[in-house]
Amino acid sequence: MTDILTFTDRGIYCPAGDFYIDPWRPVDRALITHAHSDHARPGMGSYLATDGTAPVMKHRLGNIRVDTVTYGSETQIGDARVSFHPAGHVPGSAQIRVEVKGQVWVVSGDYKTVADGLSTPFAPVKCHAFITECTFGLPVFSWTPQAILTGQINDWWAANAAAGRTSILGTYALGKAQRLLRLLNPDIGPILTHAAIENTNEVIRNQGVTLPQTIRVTAETNAKNHPGALVLATPSAVDSTWARRFGPASTAFASGWMALRGVRRRRAADRGFIVSDHADWDGLNMAIKATGATKIFATHGYTATFRRWLCEQGYDAHVGSTDYQGEGFDNPKEIEE
């Protein structure tokens, strides 16, 4: 099998089309899977992304040159035929299919296989080689079913409201915040949002996505004005001066890393809800099998361990070196844009 995509110090490169996928250094032509800051970076000559990803990219990156495509439409770039397919990660996220002389490779970007009611659900793409994330590539990672998760969060919120406490829930501004909003019961109380989350909400709403009513947190906001509130905050804001304005509060985080007791202890939150916009262990394995690919590259995550597992299952498995962070919960940057 000829490698039609290669790993370089700038990004995943396609010589036949002279383009990069999710490059982390400036290049002339960048194809972008989704708008999280570790995959969509500034400084590219031009960008190509889905029509659902482009508005968030413009919000984050400013005046950039970006062309858009719809899911499933084919674009000829040099000698490569390219199409974008749903990844189920966040709104607009895509896997990128690249075909050269009958050989098909797919770059997953980030993905999850369980429908979340917000993003276009993941759609497996048949290919010869699959470049997969493995952020949560260990058997310990298994996500709480969404119906159960909904009950857990709303019950926690209702109990706090009844006790006169504000509920502060740490989550990422793009994707997971909007997903959680769709799960919340607004009859319990008002829903307040950190500015980074509310800015993203506005972009998502402008694309026609319905979200519950939210109230932006400002300098004047406090618990007395909004009794029984749930506050969606970026992870770094949960234990900060910004959060102390809400007085007596119960704190929680919504992350795949909450499956690990050590992370829960370090974060010292009252609750940890096990949920992620990345695939869990079963999701990774099901997705890879569904592609029919025999050659697999594992990127950003438990790459060495996951590669060994794939080799034991009979795959021609490799580690692809990238600069992606996945769900970097303990990373200071925390992908909050």
Side-chain angles (χ1 to χ4, degrees), residues 182-242:
R182 297 282 287 264
L183 305 183
L184 297 177
N185 178 6
D187 292 336
I188 297 172
I191 303 170
L192 279 57
T193 51
H194 187 282
I197 293 174
E198 191 59 27
N199 290 340
T200 306
N201 288 346
E202 291 177 358
V203 178
I204 299 297
R205 286 189 175 107
N206 287 338
Q207 296 182 66
V209 176
T210 301
L211 298 174
Q213 181 179 354
T214 53
I215 302 168
R216 180 190 295 268
V217 174
T218 66
E220 292 74 34
T221 306
N222 58 55
K224 186 179 296 185
N225 297 335
H226 303 284
L230 182 143
V231 182
L232 282 182
T234 56
S236 61
V238 171
D239 184 22
S240 70
T241 302
W242 179 91

Side-chain angles (χ1 to χ4, degrees), residues 45 106 144 189 241 253:
V106 170
T144 304
T241 302
F253 291 99

Side-chain angles (χ1 to χ4, degrees), residues 105-248:
W105 286 43
V106 170
V107 179
S108 71
D110 291 332
Y111 66 95
K112 67 174 178 293
T113 56
V114 177
D116 62 11
L118 177 70
S119 309
T120 304
F122 176 86
V125 180
K126 294 294 184 181
C127 57
H128 299 97
F130 186 52
I131 298 176
T132 179
E133 64 142 314
C134 60
T135 305
F136 295 106
L138 293 177
V140 68
F141 294 111
S142 178
W143 305 152
T144 304
Q146 189 143 302
I148 296 175
L149 176 71
T150 301
Q152 290 176 342
I153 294 175
N154 285 312
D155 289 348
W156 167 74
W157 178 16
N160 291 332
R165 293 188 297 267
T166 301
S167 301
I168 303 177
L169 179 57
T171 186
Y172 297 130
L174 171 59
K176 197 180 296 175
Q178 294 75 39
R179 176 184 179 185
L180 294 175
L181 276 173
R182 297 282 287 264
L183 305 183
L184 297 177
N185 178 6
D187 292 336
I188 297 172
I191 303 170
L192 279 57
T193 51
H194 187 282
I197 293 174
E198 191 59 27
N199 290 340
T200 306
N201 288 346
E202 291 177 358
V203 178
I204 299 297
R205 286 189 175 107
N206 287 338
Q207 296 182 66
V209 176
T210 301
L211 298 174
Q213 181 179 354
T214 53
I215 302 168
R216 180 190 295 268
V217 174
T218 66
E220 292 74 34
T221 306
N222 58 55
K224 186 179 296 185
N225 297 335
H226 303 284
L230 182 143
V231 182
L232 282 182
T234 56
S236 61
V238 171
D239 184 22
S240 70
T241 302
W242 179 91
R244 295 186 187 114
R245 75 187 71 193
F246 299 109

Side-chain angles (χ1 to χ4, degrees), residues 262-283:
V263 175
R264 293 201 301 270
R265 285 196 299 269
R266 285 198 298 275
R267 282 291 172 163
D270 300 313
R271 286 291 301 271
F273 298 108
I274 303 173
V275 55
S276 178
D277 285 329
H278 297 258
D280 62 8
W281 173 259
D282 286 342

